[in-house]
Amino acid sequence: MSNSMAGSKWMRVLNITLIVSLSLMIILPFMHVLAISLNSGIDAQRGGITFWPREWSIENYIEVFKQENLMNGLFISVFRTVVGTVVGVGLMAMAAYALTIKTLPGRKFITFFVFFTMLFSGGTVPYYLVLNELNLTNTIWVYIVPTLYSVIHILLLRTSFSQLPFSVIEAARIDGCSEFKIFRSIVLPMSKPVLATISLFTAVGHWNDWYAGTFFVRDPMLKPLATLLQEMLTRQAALSDILLRSSGSLAYEQLDKVTVTGESLQMATIIVVMIPMVLVYPFIQKYFVKGITVGSIKE
Amino acid sequence: MARIQLKHLYKDYIDSVRAVTDFDLEIEDEEFIVLVGPSGCGKSTTLRMIAGLEDISSGEVVIDGKAQNNLHPKDRDIAMVFQNYALYPHMSVYDNIAFGLKMRKTSKQEIKERVTRAAKILDIENLLERKPKELSGGQRQRVALGRAIVREAKVFLMDEPLSNLDAKLRFQTRAEITKLHRRLKTTTIYVTHDQTEAMSMATRIVVMKDGIIQQVGTPKEIYLKPANIFVGKFIGSPAMNFFDLKVNDNGITLGDSNIELPSSFIKEAWSSFGKKELVVGIRPEDIQLSDDLESSRYTFQLSTKIDMAELMGSETLLYFTVDNQTAISKLNTMEDFNMGQLVRLSIDLEKVHFFDKETGLRLDLQEVQEAAKKETIIA
Ligand SMILES: Nc1ncnc2c1ncn2[C@@H]1O[C@H](COP(=O)(O)OP(=O)(O)OP(=O)(O)O)[C@@H](O)[C@H]1O
Ligand SMILES: [Mg+2]
């Protein structure tokens, strides 16, 4: 008795320590980033800022928002994130559910076929050529269509679906449910936690992806937020690099005007890109509940 | 209201497990059929084939003259209670019960009426807003029943619906289901491995073993005339006593002891069985204290020591040893017995069941007698 009490007490201490350290691992870098982004750029260059700005300034943010097409980029990002996630997760869930049906002809082969693509990738150039052939480059669909299926997510969903109590599905069948309706009204609601997880992964992937916008799209009106900010960062880094290197021949007051520097601008960018996602979390959180199928069948 | 014909059903699972062999049965309208048998004997499989949840390897399921083999479960007019409730965990009790009606496009008003009525019958009116996880086992069970009865389907299939209720609740719900059947008169097939449930609820019992029907009959028939040793052993509690015995010229040998029997019986036994080695089955209540028994043409007496006596309320179970086997007698008395006490028991031979030792099949003294009589008349 006392032994197990002591054991559970140590478990508690261990748990709390672990959770606190994990939280710190996320919060501290975030604070560091926030501090630098709120510090004047030139001053930040001197280094030594950890968790609190030395010279408060919002110039970095002003610079970020000066970016042309920012609102347009935001729209593109929201569009690809929402459409890409909803359609993608919907299709992946359907594919994964089909793979759990034991009577599906060629189930093993299809599963292998899906899994197989995880092992190889064609490389950027062949990938670009394929996108080009499909007339996807320089359209908004280049963000959505190629990312509709993620093998690892399909496999995760399949595992989760196959653990649902099968008799509930059979009960629905007897209750007069069509197979599609079973999927929509029984399987999906019972899988809310895993769907929320996969949706979050997918959404974050869409939101953070700057690569497709940089390489597969030319039209500036089609560039998502992540790409715009990435481009601005490269430009800024290059600019301040030039200024600092050739400072001898340039007037000092000119350098003085450039209070925004690479590092602090970078940090402000990270914050700006991050905030919308952070704001979404509380709304998704309610789906991360455990024991959603409790009470359905007797264990 | 439905008549069900199950024509030579077979079920082979993929890894060549034969779960059901030649299941052949006609079920009349309004019957309450109970499938009973030990775990793994193919009861659920049979039920699932009728429901359409399992492919039929061979044979035919016919409901009201219409072949069902190729119909989706939703197109067979059946309702089913699952061995493990299978409630929809994300829906309220109300929605759980209403789901089947919604799927069949019943009007909102009627759904409400029918759900309310079903909830009243099952006494779960105050639980309608709850989720399954907020219910006790017995309440979940009743929701599962509610989901089935609200549909007013042609056929009810129930797979061990009481198996995880405590004794009292099981007793109550059992009575409730029987009442429900009397009221709705829906043709029902009920699966259980509990022989008491089978005896108390069925209009006819189907006893199964290893996927094969052993006997079909009313509870009385099954109890009074078990078709073979297995059925005799399975139905009845405490179980039937079995002894090997040999018939010889002046009686029977049971282990070491010779029991003398009336010569008329011996003659009959010889002529009707034509066998010397038999198995007898004797129900515990057919072994009584000697002076309790009314006089009968065929009785035989047995002196034995009591190994143990158990008082079961108004009845007493006596344990004693015959031929190195423990035997049980059920007495309608609360008398005290001592261990080692000598008692004289008598057995009514008319109530003894004879089985062929080789095949395990019942040998019916009277039937053989009657057949023999008829033969002589014809002759
Ligand atoms: N999906 C399956 N694949 C292979 N064999 C199966 C499958 N389902 C059941 N069986 C086998 O078929 C036989 C009958 O099973 P079934 O579930 O019908 O038994 P049961 O009488 O309902 O038993 P219980 O009282 O334990 O519920 C068993 O031997 C079982 O192992
Ligand atoms: Mg079963």
Side-chain angles (χ1 to χ4, degrees):
Chain A
M1 174 76 187
S2 68
N3 238 350
S4 77
M5 289 261 289
S8 76
K9 194 177 158 196
W10 279 110
M11 273 314 282
R12 263 179 72 84
V13 171
L14 193 74
N15 266 342
I16 291 171
T17 320
L18 215 70
I19 288 167
V20 167
S21 7
L22 275 175
S23 308
L24 287 180
M25 275 169 68
I26 293 162
I27 292 169
L28 293 183
F30 178 78
M31 299 241 325
H32 181 64
V33 169
L34 197 63
I36 295 181
S37 77
L38 288 170
N39 201 74
S40 119
I42 295 281
D43 179 62
Q45 208 98 76
R46 281 170 38 216
I49 294 168
T50 47
F51 301 128
W52 205 250
R54 196 162 41 217
E55 239 175 66
W56 286 87
S57 152
I58 54 164
E59 281 156 351
N60 300 308
Y61 287 91
I62 292 171
E63 186 65 20
V64 169
F65 283 100
K66 258 195 215 155
Q67 181 72 20
E68 284 168 47
N69 300 336
L70 190 95
M71 279 303 144
N72 187 66
L74 184 68
F75 172 77
I76 298 282
S77 281
V78 169
F79 178 83
R80 71 172 284 186
T81 301
V82 171
V83 175
T85 304
V86 170
V87 178
V89 173
L91 288 174
M92 287 193 289
M94 281 196 253
Y97 179 59
L99 290 179
T100 63
I101 304 292
K102 292 205 175 62
T103 50
L104 177 75
R107 182 168 81 122
K108 287 224 170 83
F109 175 74
I110 299 172
T111 310
F112 176 74
F113 198 71
V114 170
F115 170 73
F116 188 71
T117 61
M118 225 167 91
L119 305 176
F120 304 98
S121 109
T124 307
V125 175
Y127 184 54
Y128 176 80
L129 292 177
V130 170
L131 294 180
N132 216 12
E133 280 303 305
L134 294 171
N135 290 325
L136 283 171
T137 48
N138 212 24
T139 69
I140 197 162
W141 302 111
V142 77
Y143 303 129
I144 293 168
V145 176
T147 56
L148 284 178
Y149 289 93
S150 147
V151 174
I152 187 100
H153 291 170
I154 291 178
L155 296 181
L156 279 173
L157 284 167
R158 188 197 59 161
T159 307
S160 163
F161 289 157
S162 65
Q163 282 160 353
L164 292 176
F166 188 63
S167 54
V168 178
I169 291 165
E170 292 184 326
R173 221 165 258 169
I174 287 186
D175 260 347
C177 219
S178 68
E179 294 299 319
F180 186 75
K181 185 96 184 156
I182 288 175
F183 174 69
R184 251 213 41 217
S185 308
I186 308 289
V187 174
L188 291 188
M190 284 203 290
S191 307
K192 273 183 195 160
V194 67
L195 288 172
T197 312
I198 300 289
S199 300
L200 197 67
F201 286 169
T202 310
V204 169
H206 271 289
W207 187 261
N208 288 344
D209 173 49
W210 54 269
Y211 190 86
T214 308
F215 294 105
F216 306 137
V217 168
R218 278 178 313 263
D219 186 349
M221 295 304 278
L222 284 178
K223 307 238 169 191
L225 199 57
T227 304
L228 291 180
L229 295 171
Q230 201 275 338
E231 280 173 0
M232 180 204 50
L233 278 182
T234 347
R235 221 172 29 240
Q236 270 296 331
L239 184 62
S240 57
D241 217 34
I242 291 165
L243 286 175
L244 284 173
R245 232 186 288 157
S246 54
S247 57
S249 64
L250 272 167
Y252 271 89
E253 64 266 28
Q254 208 171 348
L255 185 60
D256 268 348
K257 271 192 210 145
V258 191
T259 50
V260 177
T261 66
E263 202 195 5
S264 47
L265 186 66
Q266 212 168 351
M267 298 307 153
T269 311
I270 290 170
I271 298 288
V272 167
V273 176
M274 209 170 73
I275 290 298
M277 273 292 129
V278 173
L279 292 181
V280 167
Y281 263 88
F283 296 99
I284 298 183
Q285 203 174 25
K286 72 169 181 218
Y287 296 110
F288 294 111
V289 286
K290 64 175 179 183
I292 193 157
T293 58
V294 167
S296 164
I297 57 167
K298 81 185 167 212
E299 275 87 25
Chain B
M1 308 296 124
R3 195 161 171 272
I4 307 168
Q5 290 157 286
L6 307 172
K7 297 184 182 169
H8 303 284
L9 298 183
Y10 284 79
K11 176 67 194 182
D12 298 317
Y13 281 109
I14 302 163
D15 24 358
S16 71
V17 185
R18 174 156 288 182
V20 175
T21 307
D22 198 24
F23 192 102
D24 196 65
L25 184 69
E26 300 230 339
I27 301 170
E28 296 303 321
D29 190 17
E30 298 186 16
E31 270 205 279
F32 195 109
I33 294 286
V34 174
L35 303 186
V36 66
S39 187
C41 72
K43 307 178 296 283
S44 298
T45 305
T46 306
L47 209 63
R48 292 165 55 80
M49 284 196 285
I50 301 168
L53 295 173
E54 210 75 70
D55 285 337
I56 299 167
S57 302
S58 124
E60 208 178 11
V61 173
V62 179
I63 299 179
D64 279 344
K66 204 171 153 221
Q68 307 283 312
N69 287 36
N70 297 320
L71 292 183
H72 189 275
K74 76 175 160 38
D75 302 320
R76 309 180 179 196
D77 196 3
I78 45 170
M80 180 160 171
V81 181
F82 283 78
Q83 194 161 2
N84 60 0
Y85 328 126
L87 300 180
Y88 309 124
H90 56 292
M91 296 185 197
S92 68
V93 168
Y94 183 95
D95 289 334
N96 260 280
I97 299 177
F99 190 72
L101 297 175
K102 276 187 202 153
M103 287 304 112
R104 279 156 217 271
K105 310 262 182 297
T106 316
S107 75
K108 267 226 167 82
Q109 184 56 35
E110 190 175 349
I111 290 179
K112 195 164 175 211
E113 277 167 23
R114 273 157 77 168
V115 173
T116 316
R117 205 181 325 142
K120 194 176 266 167
I121 292 173
L122 296 167
D123 197 20
I124 47 175
E125 288 158 290
N126 52 343
L127 305 176
L128 289 175
E129 300 307 315
R130 294 206 199 161
K131 289 270 173 70
K133 69 171 166 222
E134 298 156 347
L135 302 177
S136 73
Q139 291 167 333
R140 285 175 199 168
Q141 192 65 71
R142 277 179 281 165
V143 176
L145 274 172
R147 194 168 63 178
I149 65 171
V150 78
R151 289 254 320 276
E152 297 175 10
K154 267 188 190 170
V155 179
F156 274 165
L157 305 176
M158 305 194 190
D159 195 350
E160 308 207 20
L162 309 183
S163 56
N164 69 316
L165 302 185
D166 64 43
K168 193 175 155 218
L169 208 57
R170 178 187 290 226
F171 184 79
Q172 262 176 16
T173 319
R174 192 170 85 196
E176 238 155 58
I177 292 176
T178 308
K179 256 196 318 209
L180 213 61
H181 177 252
R182 233 172 261 148
R183 188 160 154 182
L184 305 174
K185 300 208 187 318
T186 312
T187 312
T188 304
I189 305 178
Y190 183 104
V191 164
T192 180
H193 58 247
D194 181 309
Q195 49 98 16
T196 329
E197 262 172 47
M199 289 299 289
S200 58
M201 300 172 93
T203 56
R204 277 195 300 161
I205 294 177
V206 177
V207 185
M208 293 179 74
K209 181 193 163 204
D210 299 335
I212 301 170
I213 295 184
Q214 303 293 307
Q215 189 174 7
V216 182
T218 63
K220 261 190 200 154
E221 280 166 5
I222 300 259
Y223 192 77
L224 295 176
K225 292 195 167 184
N228 57 35
I229 294 179
F230 174 80
V231 176
K233 209 178 273 181
F234 194 79
I235 301 285
S237 167
M240 198 182 254
N241 302 297
F242 287 94
F243 309 105
D244 286 345
L245 59 74
K246 286 197 179 79
V247 182
N248 55 36
D249 288 340
N250 50 11
I252 50 180
T253 333
L254 215 171
D256 296 338
S257 51
N258 248 304
I259 299 162
E260 293 207 1
L261 289 174
S263 59
S264 55
F265 173 80
I266 305 284
K267 243 201 254 155
E268 242 174 59
W270 275 109
S271 61
S272 47
F273 303 155
K275 294 212 178 184
K276 288 181 190 171
E277 297 203 14
L278 303 171
V279 174
V280 284
I282 309 167
R283 295 220 179 266
E285 64 268 28
D286 294 333
I287 307 177
Q288 294 294 332
L289 288 175
S290 202
D291 38 336
D292 283 1
L293 200 81
E294 295 162 37
S295 68
S296 154
R297 193 156 67 102
Y298 306 131
T299 62
F300 73 84
Q301 312 274 323
L302 198 70
S303 286
T304 184
K305 268 196 287 192
I306 297 173
D307 294 337
M308 193 172 74
E310 260 177 10
L311 183 65
M312 317 279 291
S314 66
E315 290 160 343
T316 304
L317 298 183
L318 288 190
Y319 292 75
F320 56 96
T321 310
V322 179
D323 191 16
N324 293 324
Q325 288 176 66
T326 302
I328 302 176
S329 149
K330 186 155 93 181
L331 301 175
N332 225 332
T333 172
M334 293 181 75
E335 209 177 307
D336 285 325
F337 294 93
N338 300 321
M339 242 164 67
Q341 184 184 337
L342 214 63
V343 286
R344 207 170 160 67
L345 299 169
S346 80
I347 294 161
D348 184 345
L349 277 178
E350 269 178 350
K351 290 184 177 161
V352 169
H353 308 264
F354 294 93
F355 300 97
D356 187 320
K357 193 173 177 188
E358 275 166 52
T359 60
L361 292 179
R362 176 183 190 82
L363 299 167
D364 225 311
L365 204 57
Q366 253 135 32
E367 269 169 31
V368 180
Q369 261 181 311
E370 272 159 29
K373 252 188 237 158
K374 263 185 211 153
E375 264 168 41
T376 50
I377 291 167
I378 292 165

